Amino acid sequence: MNSDCLFCKIAAREIPAQIVYEDENTLAFLDINPVNPGHTLVIPKKHSVDIFEIEEKDWGAVMHVSRRIAHALERALKPAGINLGMNNRAGAGQMVFHSHVHVMPRFEGDPHKPWPGHPYAEGAFAATGDKIRAALNSESD
Ligand code: AMP
Ligand code: ZN
């Protein structure tokens, strides 16, 4: 427990939340400022800042629960679709620095669009693939 962390406080029941699911390692609760009603956050109970810090076991648990939440949203709210998202570091829009996955129901006519795509510059498609393959081949984590 990180005593300065909002989501640790939610997990410790020090701050109220609409908790929809809990198990030994994870917690899922409604986002207070949702893109749509039902937008749910899935967190590991053990504090970690982001994808770079979360342990493999906790990540697996968060992914497992995110799938369950998506299925529950499907049954409960009958959305047109569901987005999963995770912001890592301020540079990606992270505001709460305790790892969390957003499970976001989408409805016909809602104003939210997928992120924009931009085509690669000449040669950059293969070069980018090369860089990432090299990084994966030299991984230490
Ligand atoms: P981000 O760190 O950008 O991935 O987003 C943090 C998310 O936490 C935002 O979507 C907020 O609306 C949400 N949030 C902030 N405070 C609370 C809270 N007390 N209870 C539930 N959700 C919250
Ligand atoms: Zn925390």
Side-chain angles (χ1 to χ4, degrees), residues 10 34 65 96:
I10 286 178
V65 171
V96 176

Side-chain angles (χ1 to χ4, degrees), residues 52-126:
F52 303 107
E53 196 174 275
I54 191 170
E55 288 172 14
E56 182 76 22
K57 173 174 138 307
D58 280 336
W59 178 246
V62 166
M63 285 292 95
H64 174 77
V65 171
S66 295
R67 179 179 174 279
R68 286 193 65 185
I69 296 296
H71 283 240
L73 294 178
E74 168 78 355
R75 286 196 297 277
L77 303 176
K78 304 273 182 288
I82 292 179
N83 289 128
L84 258 62
M86 184 180 194
N87 302 323
N88 294 284
R89 299 183 178 152
Q94 188 174 5
M95 295 182 297
V96 176
F97 293 92
H98 178 129
S99 305
H100 55 280
V101 167
H102 297 254
V103 187
M104 297 169 283
R106 303 290 298 269
F107 297 94
E108 294 297 346
D110 78 30
H112 314 293
K113 297 277 187 287
W115 48 84
H118 309 286
Y120 279 98
E122 183 76 29
F125 195 39

Side-chain angles (χ1 to χ4, degrees), residues 1-17 19 27 43 47 98:
M1 157 109 193
N2 176 340
S3 55
D4 295 328
C5 171
L6 180 63
F7 288 176
C8 280
K9 286 181 185 166
I10 286 178
R13 305 299 205 277
E14 289 176 13
I15 290 178
I19 294 170
L27 192 74
I43 67 168
H47 181 84
H98 178 129

